[in-house]
Amino acid sequence: MARKIQLAVALMSVCVCGILSLQLAFAYSSFQAERNLLEKQVNEAFASAFEAVRNDRDEAILDDLRQLVSDPTFIEITSRVNPVYGTTVFTMKELQPPFKGQTQLSLSIETFPEKVEPITPKARQAFIDHIVKNARNDLKNGYVFYYTQKLGDSLSKAKYEVPIDTAMIGERFRNGLGKAGLPTRFRFAAVAPNDGFKTKPIDLSLKTNAAPKLLYAVFPDPDAVVFERIKWILAGSFVLMSVAVVCFGYTLKVMLSQQKLSAVKDDFIHNMTHELHTPLASLTVTAESLRKFQHDATARETYLDIILLQAQRLGALTAEILETARAGKVGNREKQTIVVSDLLKKAMAAFPCDAVAVEDNVGDLEISGDANSLFRMLTNLIDNGLKYNPGPGAPLLVKADVSGKKLLLEVSDNGPGIPEAEKTQIFDAFYRIGTGNRHDVKGYGLGLYFVKEVVRKHNGKISVHDNENKGTTFRIAIAL
């Protein structure tokens, strides 16, 4: 049986380890997937914020351009019809030209098929829109076209000399993160840091061929955000792993308990076999002697006394086993009113007066319970203490007291004591201190189990303690 249990434990251990490994792998994969998604979303939000700020900046430049082109004191716009192609040719001329450079520009617009000479307000607006549209495409591609010298200088200065506002990028970025439910605590860095999570950089340089001017957004603790986003997945994995571990532990405990119970039962059977063998052998020998030989009256009485004594031993053994079996049904019996002092006196009367001392401090206290079971409980404890008493000396002490709303009963002996490791096992059925086929102290491992069951059925607790000098004290507390 032991080998089967070991094999079963090994197989269950492998299964549980497999479940735990799969759950840990799943949790790690979930964490990595969520972190990758977070990084992707943050990078997209960062790039989107930069693009929005750059577009707003270009639109502001274009608004200034529109105002300059629309200013009649700065730019004069005229139109004429080309006699060869029959198209309208627009001319844009600076009214206050610089000392050098291009001062005017002539062009036709394919999307404006009308022939206009002189220029009309509609044609003027179409020309201005066309210039702004072309400038927008130029800015988007990263260069400035000089329509005239002053317009080109103005566009170039606004495009290449005014830096991009990182504060606006930060505001747009933070708003985008908040709308997406992403962490909004970050800082900007010009150099890639070694700590935290950093986004892909954006280039703030204004000229196409200039050295890059990188900007990173750095998040100090992205893992906390990832854990927050997958906390229910992790919680589910943790619960499943906990259930697997608890079930494994419980099953292991049950199997080991069964193995232990089997060993204890084997020990009980060995002891019981010895206890039964002696009286049965005496009964057999005595009966055969009475049958085969003619004895006088005195001899027959002696043999009959032997038979009676051994029969009583068998009866006592049977009674103890039956009482133990009935211990679990104490709570189902009809309860009686019991005077504690009378219960103590009755229990003391079953033992020699010089072997047991009593301290009765409860007066006329009454409790409700099963009188017969409580009597057997006390006599079992006293008999157990006397069995392990090494010899003459201080008698066994039985003490009764009241503490609060509890009846306290103590039985103290001056025996060899109980090993610390076995104090939690002595109340198990069939358990006896030590192992093997020992018979120096008679017993079947049922007495203390019976005591524990009686105490439990009377809503009490029992504990075992070492005395200051030597011996053991069994302490019982029963609620009044």
Side-chain angles (χ1 to χ4, degrees):
M1 181 177 180
R3 290 191 62 184
K4 290 182 178 179
I5 291 178
Q6 292 174 357
L7 179 60
V9 170
L11 291 175
M12 286 196 305
S13 299
V14 171
C15 292
V16 171
C17 290
I19 292 174
L20 295 180
S21 299
L22 289 175
Q23 284 301 310
L24 290 174
F26 171 73
Y28 179 76
S29 298
S30 299
F31 175 83
Q32 289 297 326
E34 193 63 33
R35 183 182 174 91
N36 292 337
L37 177 61
L38 176 65
E39 293 179 1
K40 178 182 177 182
Q41 292 175 330
V42 168
N43 279 308
E44 289 177 350
F46 190 39
S48 177
F50 171 65
E51 188 69 22
V53 170
R54 188 171 61 180
N55 290 338
D56 289 346
R57 180 175 180 273
D58 289 347
E59 288 300 321
I61 295 174
L62 293 172
D63 287 342
D64 292 340
L65 174 64
R66 182 182 292 276
Q67 290 180 9
L68 288 175
V69 176
S70 302
D71 186 358
T73 64
F74 180 70
I75 294 292
E76 179 185 38
I77 302 175
T78 59
S79 65
R80 61 183 176 83
V81 177
N82 188 320
V84 178
Y85 297 103
T87 58
T88 301
V89 178
F90 294 90
T91 300
M92 178 174 62
K93 179 180 180 181
E94 294 182 7
L95 296 179
Q96 300 175 359
F99 294 106
K100 61 180 180 177
Q102 182 176 336
T103 61
Q104 71 177 29
L105 175 71
S106 297
L107 55 86
S108 60
I109 303 175
E110 294 181 0
T111 57
F112 190 81
E114 299 179 21
K115 301 177 181 180
V116 177
E117 186 178 356
I119 194 167
T120 62
K122 178 182 177 182
R124 177 185 174 85
Q125 187 61 47
F127 176 76
I128 294 173
D129 291 342
H130 180 72
I131 294 297
V132 172
K133 178 182 178 182
N134 286 346
R136 178 179 288 110
N137 292 332
D138 295 340
L139 293 176
K140 186 175 182 180
N141 293 324
Y143 60 88
V144 172
F145 183 80
Y146 274 64
Y147 298 97
T148 68
Q149 186 66 40
K150 285 188 175 180
L151 287 177
D153 290 342
S154 175
L155 283 173
S156 180
K157 181 178 181 180
K159 175 66 176 177
Y160 299 127
E161 296 182 14
V162 179
I164 297 177
D165 189 354
T166 56
M168 290 298 299
I169 297 176
E171 182 179 351
R172 286 291 189 98
F173 186 35
R174 187 172 287 104
N175 291 337
L177 293 174
K179 291 179 180 179
L182 300 171
T184 57
R185 182 167 166 257
F186 64 89
R187 61 182 173 85
F188 284 140
V191 180
N194 295 323
D195 61 323
F197 158 68
K198 59 182 178 296
T199 61
K200 294 179 180 179
I202 57 173
D203 188 0
L204 298 179
S205 60
L206 300 174
K207 294 184 179 181
T208 304
N209 298 323
K213 185 180 179 181
L214 303 181
L215 181 68
Y216 297 87
V218 182
F219 293 80
D221 191 14
D223 289 347
V225 179
V226 176
F227 280 119
E228 177 65 24
R229 295 175 70 168
I230 63 171
K231 60 183 180 181
W232 296 116
I233 296 177
L234 296 179
S237 296
F238 176 77
V239 169
L240 183 58
M241 288 189 292
S242 299
V243 170
V245 171
V246 169
C247 291
F248 173 71
Y250 177 76
T251 304
L252 181 61
K253 179 181 178 181
V254 171
M255 294 178 68
L256 293 178
S257 298
Q258 291 295 325
Q259 185 180 19
K260 176 184 172 183
L261 180 60
S262 177
V264 171
K265 285 184 176 180
D266 288 343
D267 190 42
F268 169 73
I269 291 172
H270 293 155
N271 289 323
M272 187 63 67
T273 301
H274 176 81
E275 297 296 334
L276 291 172
H277 179 75
T278 301
L280 288 175
S282 297
L283 287 171
T284 302
V285 171
T286 305
E288 289 180 351
S289 177
L290 287 174
R291 184 177 183 181
K292 292 181 179 180
F293 304 101
Q294 295 294 327
H295 299 285
D296 55 26
T298 303
R300 283 198 303 273
E301 289 296 329
T302 301
Y303 284 127
L304 290 174
D305 288 340
I306 293 173
I307 292 175
L308 180 60
L309 176 62
Q310 299 304 328
Q312 289 174 345
R313 286 185 61 184
L314 290 174
L317 174 59
T318 304
E320 184 166 354
I321 294 175
L322 291 176
E323 281 293 333
T324 303
R326 284 197 291 262
K329 302 179 181 179
V330 170
N332 299 327
R333 297 181 184 179
E334 183 177 353
K335 293 185 176 181
Q336 307 161 342
T337 300
I338 305 165
V339 179
V340 177
S341 296
D342 292 344
L343 179 66
L344 291 175
K345 292 177 183 178
K346 182 179 178 182
M348 296 310 107
F351 302 94
C353 59
D354 59 344
V356 184
V358 181
E359 287 187 14
D360 184 356
N361 301 317
V362 297
D364 56 353
L365 178 69
E366 295 180 347
I367 62 173
S368 177
D370 183 357
N372 183 58
S373 295
L374 290 172
F375 170 77
R376 289 277 298 167
M377 175 194 76
L378 277 174
T379 54
N380 275 8
L381 284 176
I382 295 171
D383 183 61
N384 189 71
L386 292 176
K387 284 180 181 179
Y388 291 94
N389 195 319
L396 199 75
L397 177 62
V398 179
K399 184 177 179 180
D401 210 337
V402 177
S403 176
K405 295 184 178 182
K406 292 182 179 179
L407 168 64
L408 300 181
L409 297 174
E410 292 184 358
V411 177
S412 303
D413 62 51
N414 59 339
I418 299 174
E420 193 67 30
E422 299 193 72
K423 286 181 180 178
T424 58
Q425 305 178 61
I426 57 176
F427 296 104
D428 295 342
F430 311 122
Y431 186 84
R432 298 186 67 199
I433 297 176
T435 58
N437 188 21
R438 57 176 293 183
H439 311 290
D440 53 338
V441 178
K442 303 300 181 182
Y444 320 109
L446 297 174
L448 291 179
Y449 171 74
F450 176 82
V451 170
K452 181 194 71 172
E453 289 299 309
V454 172
V455 172
R456 183 177 64 84
K457 289 297 183 178
H458 284 82
N459 298 320
K461 293 183 179 180
I462 184 170
S463 56
V464 58
H465 308 270
D466 293 330
N467 293 339
E468 292 185 5
N469 296 325
K470 64 175 183 177
T472 304
T473 295
F474 287 89
R475 186 171 299 151
I476 297 172
I478 297 177
L480 296 176

